[in-house]
Structures are given as structure tokens and as C-alpha cells.
Amino acid sequence: MSNSYAQPILRTTDLTDGLRVVARLLAIADLRNLEVDFEAWVSSADVLAELLELIPNAEWFTRGHLAGSPDDEADPTTHFPVRLRGWAMPPETVEPFLKAVGESPASVRWDFDAWPEAPEVGLGVGGTRGAFVTLCVNVRDLDLEQPAPDHTVFVHVKQIEAERAPWLAAQVGLSVIGDLEMAPY
């Protein structure tokens, strides 16, 4: 399995604007097998409880245990901050997730089958390993390490199809605003 490469195309203080751009990108994608992955740094018992209700099988871990929770019996509230991950969630859980995380650093990644062909840059249909959109909330980076007062939308592509990222941005009236970087997962 190879990682995708991501490039930011929008930074905004208005979460609704970020979600609108995501919706426009999804409108041109092949959404067969659409699922959503969530990730958040959580420091509040209330936020954690709400997220665990929404994502009952979430993985959680601390900074010192990046491979998973310290042990299956551990109480995550005794390990704050904890990083929480939910995989392969239905798209309708996005809004409840964003409401629950509040001001916490978080990301939502939409995973789908393919990007459309981009004949203007010589590319056919882009396959699954490079077909994602990520919205980072209250943070500037995909690793959730740079807290920010704004939100960033990233498009993901295969590294050998790097020219697809600016093409995708142009399809929604934007341009890339940062470098192409390997996505963490």
C-alpha cells in the first residue's frame, strides 16, 4: 500500500466554506464506495464521550503510543490528550463529528473510488490510492500538529500524478496554496 500525496487548496476561518469546497470536489469524483475517516486530538471528557458515542469502535492512543491505545482496559480520560481515530464511517456522520470536536484539532478524510480524467494535464481517471479529500479543522497540517484558528482543505493524488492537484483546485475555482506532501496514512 502506498501513501497518497496531498496539497492544500483552501484555508478559511469559515467551516461552511470548507465544507462547500469539499462538496464541489466530491461532485466531480467517482463516489462509489464512499466512506469517511475521522481523526482528532481530544482533551475534554465531554468531547471524548460525544465522539465515542458517534464512533463506538474508535481507536485511541497517546503521543507515546502511536500504534494504539496503551492497553485495552485503559481509560482514555486518564491519558489526555488522546488521539482518536474512526475508520470507514458513513458520510452522514461528518456533521455530528464536526459538531462534537468543537475547537479540537481534527480532520475528516473522504475516501472514494477515483478522480475524473484530467485530459488538460494528460491524466486518465485517478485511482483509489490517490482519491481523497481532507478537511483539517482548527489545524493547518495533516498530522494535526499545527493548531490554527482556521481550516484547510487538501486534495490527495498519486505522487506520479502531482499535476492533478492544481487541476482539481481549478475545477472548483481555486489554486494550490502550498506544497505537495506525503499524507500520513
Side-chain angles (χ1 to χ4, degrees), residues 2 19 21 32 40-41 46 52 78 80-81 86 100 124 127 139 145 157 160 162 170-171:
S2 63
L19 289 167
V21 167
R32 285 177 292 164
W41 275 110
D46 291 339
L52 288 175
T78 63
F80 285 136
V139 67
E145 297 293 332
V157 298
I160 61 170
Q171 301 312 296

Side-chain angles (χ1 to χ4, degrees), residues 52 58 60 68-79:
L52 288 175
W60 68 271
S69 55
D71 79 47
D72 291 336
E73 301 299 317
D75 177 3
T77 61
T78 63
H79 295 281

Side-chain angles (χ1 to χ4, degrees), residues 110-131:
W110 289 262
D111 182 352
F112 43 89
D113 275 2
W115 288 119
E117 65 180 297
E120 300 89 341
V121 291
L123 295 173
V125 172
T128 56
R129 280 308 309 152

Side-chain angles (χ1 to χ4, degrees), residues 26-49:
L26 294 176
I28 65 171
D30 177 348
L31 298 183
R32 285 177 292 164
N33 302 308
L34 176 65
E35 59 187 34
V36 183
D37 302 328
F38 299 124
E39 192 162 2
W41 275 110
V42 182
S43 299
S44 155
D46 291 339
V47 171
L48 181 64

